Amino acid sequence: MAKVTAGRDLLGDFAPKFAELNDDVLFGQVWSRETEFASRDRSIVTITALITGGNFEQLPFHLNKAKENGVTKEELVEIITQLAFYVGWPKAWSAFNIAKEIYTD
C-alpha cells in the first residue's frame, strides 16, 4: 500500500501530532496489518462506519481506497442498500451520490 501523507499534507503545520497519528499509526500501523484483517475487508468496515456516522467528507477517499482494494460496484451497492435500513434512507442517498462518481466504470 502506498504511504498516506494526507495528515501531514493538510494538517501538518496546524495539528502536527494529529497528522502524525493519522499517517503513521492509522494508515501506517493499522492499515498495514493485512495478515490480521485484509485491506478489502478493512475498507468495507471503514466505509460502513463513515456512512453510519454521516461522515461524507471522508467518504470519497475511502471509496476510492475500497475500489483499489477490490470492492466491486455491485458489492458497494449491496452494502449501501443494506445500511439504508439501519442508518437511514437519507444517508444511503448521500452515499450513493458519492459512490456514483467514484464507481463510474
Side-chain angles (χ1 to χ4, degrees):
M1 176 179 5
K3 181 163 176 55
V4 173
T5 61
R8 286 184 176 87
D9 294 346
L10 300 173
L11 293 173
D13 292 336
F14 187 74
K17 187 61 176 179
F18 182 86
E20 174 190 339
L21 293 169
N22 183 81
D23 296 354
D24 298 343
V25 178
L26 175 59
F27 286 102
Q29 296 172 18
V30 175
W31 273 84
S32 68
R33 296 170 44 89
E34 293 180 12
T35 57
E36 292 81 5
F37 196 43
S39 292
R40 179 186 176 284
D41 298 334
R42 201 175 298 274
S43 283
I44 290 171
V45 170
T46 301
I47 60 175
T48 299
L50 292 173
I51 294 168
T52 300
N55 300 307
F56 298 108
E57 185 176 321
Q58 290 81 29
L59 197 55
F61 172 85
H62 284 285
L63 286 173
N64 276 306
K65 185 62 67 183
K67 188 176 179 183
E68 288 173 23
N69 288 333
V71 178
T72 67
K73 179 188 116 185
E74 293 75 19
E75 290 170 324
L76 182 64
V77 167
E78 287 301 315
I79 290 166
I80 297 171
T81 300
Q82 177 76 17
L83 284 174
F85 291 93
Y86 294 94
V87 304
W89 222 248
K91 287 180 181 175
W93 269 102
S94 295
F96 273 129
N97 284 326
I98 296 168
K100 275 182 18 181
E101 295 177 19
I102 291 158
Y103 282 82
T104 55
D105 50 6

